[in-house]
Amino acid sequence: MTVRKLNQEERDTWTSALDGWDMADGRDAIEKTFEFGDFVEAWGFMSRVAILAEKADHHPEWFNVYNRVEITLTTHDADPDNGGALSKRDVELANAIDALG
Amino acid sequence: MTVRKLNQEERDTWTSALDGWDMADGRDAIEKTFEFGDFVEAWGFMSRVAILAEKADHHPEWFNVYNRVEITLTTHDADPDNGGALSKRDVELANAIDALG
């Protein structure tokens, strides 16, 4: 299934409504860093995100060290030649991650 | 507990005996990339590594996207001012990860 990249209006309204997600440097992607008390807490969060991602069939690029988790979201299929582009799927996954609480 | 960085002899013998781990660019760290059939397989591997790491109280820097997992190991306490240095802990964790099979 081809996924359409966000148009300018969607981009302005949807991404700016996200809590703490910023545009990634030099990419059409959003990113957010999460910090926890320790590795076990960070891992618990990642496990919940992993299940959300697999259910949505939309997977993050993410980095973890100890209590820190950096998540980057973009949609490869929306612009495969340029490492992806933002689509509705990214906004939905970002909101689902933030709703984990 | 302070962790001693590897001396030259340990470095030559231990790190060269590792399977597929290379020195990270510009850091005293080792890294290896693992590829799996899909995200669920990659996540299963990461879950096993997470438990090994927590038991050893020695945590990786790692990146995942879909079926790929990039692991970097260094010991922060062995050289905190330079982002870590290789210690025996890294060699032990690398071997434990490879032994997951």
Side-chain angles (χ1 to χ4, degrees), chain A residues 30-78:
Chain A
I30 51 175
E31 64 185 11
K32 184 174 178 178
T33 298
F34 298 81
E35 293 209 354
F36 300 89
D38 58 24
F39 177 73
V40 172
E41 285 185 26
W43 184 255
F45 167 75
M46 291 178 73
S47 298
R48 299 168 79 194
V49 172
I51 292 172
L52 287 181
E54 182 63 19
K55 279 178 65 176
D57 193 21
H58 188 57
H59 301 89
E61 299 173 23
W62 50 356
F63 173 84
N64 161 246
V65 56
Y66 194 55
N67 67 331
R68 196 170 84 243
V69 182
E70 299 169 9
I71 302 182
T72 301
L73 301 178
T74 192
T75 302
H76 183 261
D77 291 350

